[in-house]
Amino acid sequence: MNPVLHFPVLNSTNAYAKTHAQELADGTVVCADEQTAGRGRFDRVWVSQPGGLYFSLLLKPQQTAYLQNLTQLMAVSVCQAVRELGADAHLKWPNDVLVNEQKICGILSEAVLKQNRFYALVLGVGINVNQNSLPDVGRPAATLKNLGIPADKSALLNRVLTLFNARLQNALTQGFAAFAADYKNWFPYLGKTVSITNGGQKLFGVAENISSAGTLVVKMPEGLREFSIGDMNA
């Protein structure tokens, strides 16, 4: 069982977990009903009003070769959990969970350093559950409630953690291979034209594969190109 710290309001569950990483146990979950300064990837604002599920998981793994894949493992765990509730959810590389091309979950991973060396990893997760409406933040988003899917936040949190923990050790030793089949099964963009925003450039190509390392392989006019970071859109 993961120890859970629950707060009515925090500026950011990730910020709390990072600040208190040394005093918190491995596997601690920091959860808040509302965040006043939630963030997504590339410093985007993550609007965190009441009704959503906002939590950060603190990990202090001894094996660090595949840390980059743990964010994808969390995405697979969330995707499976909301699919079990009845949502036709899928993945958008690298770690977004969508329903009807609308974002229902975002994940932000951040490293904690101690004396300039890796000390811990924080996986921050925001799932749109019971919000009545979502403000316009420039991209489509959905909630389970608006999809007509009732969900209990505590039960959903427990299910996501159960699914994540079940494959964590294998992911730490095998990387993406530990959950590649499910990831690819819920990634509907292979063979389709996608855009990749990377380093300020917007590039276009056909999504060819997700590699054994979890990178996105895109077929471009000049040949295959592999992306380890970036923002993909179809």
Side-chain angles (χ1 to χ4, degrees), residues 22-229:
Q22 292 191 56
E23 64 204 64
L24 297 177
D26 179 30
T28 296
V29 175
V30 180
C31 189
D33 294 329
E34 184 178 359
Q35 294 182 116
T36 58
R39 291 181 299 112
R41 296 173 68 231
F42 308 115
D43 282 329
R44 292 170 177 151
V45 173
W46 183 269
V47 179
S48 310
Q49 65 219 81
L53 174 58
Y54 315 110
F55 70 93
S56 294
L57 173 62
L58 176 69
L59 298 171
K60 301 179 182 180
Q62 298 300 308
Q63 297 150 312
T64 59
Y66 299 108
L67 289 177
Q68 71 276 10
N69 296 124
L70 297 186
T71 314
Q72 292 172 307
L73 174 58
M74 181 59 78
V76 166
S77 302
V78 172
C79 190
Q80 180 174 342
V82 298
R83 288 179 69 88
E84 289 174 355
L85 292 173
D88 187 17
H90 64 272
L91 299 168
K92 181 171 80 72
W93 184 89
N95 51 38
D96 285 341
V97 183
L98 309 184
V99 178
N100 301 327
E101 294 304 315
Q102 297 176 305
K103 191 167 182 174
I104 202 162
C105 171
I107 301 168
L108 174 66
S109 62
E110 296 185 282
V112 179
L113 302 181
K114 185 177 179 182
Q115 296 177 343
N116 292 321
R117 300 185 64 181
F118 173 81
Y119 177 71
L121 181 71
V122 176
L123 294 176
V125 182
I127 306 176
N128 297 328
V129 182
N130 291 320
Q131 300 101 309
N132 289 312
S133 62
L134 292 171
D136 182 6
V137 292
R139 56 191 184 277
T143 72
L144 290 174
K145 183 175 183 178
N146 290 342
L147 293 168
I149 299 173
D152 177 82
K153 290 196 301 180
S154 295
L156 179 57
L157 173 62
N158 289 335
R159 184 57 180 155
V160 170
L161 293 173
T162 296
L163 292 167
F164 182 88
N165 290 334
R167 288 192 271 202
L168 176 58
Q169 289 308 310
N170 284 342
L172 287 170
T173 56
Q174 301 171 28
F176 187 73
F179 53 90
D182 280 339
Y183 191 102
K184 289 185 178 182
N185 191 43
W186 296 327
F187 181 77
Y189 303 101
L190 294 181
K192 297 182 179 180
T193 298
V194 298
S195 67
I196 302 290
T197 303
N198 182 273
Q201 284 186 306
K202 192 169 188 178
L203 307 171
F204 293 87
V206 175
E208 188 82 5
N209 193 19
I210 304 291
S211 76
S212 59
T215 58
L216 180 64
V217 181
V218 179
K219 186 176 182 179
M220 296 184 164
E222 65 273 19
L224 295 178
R225 183 165 173 182
E226 195 170 340
F227 294 89
S228 57
I229 58 172

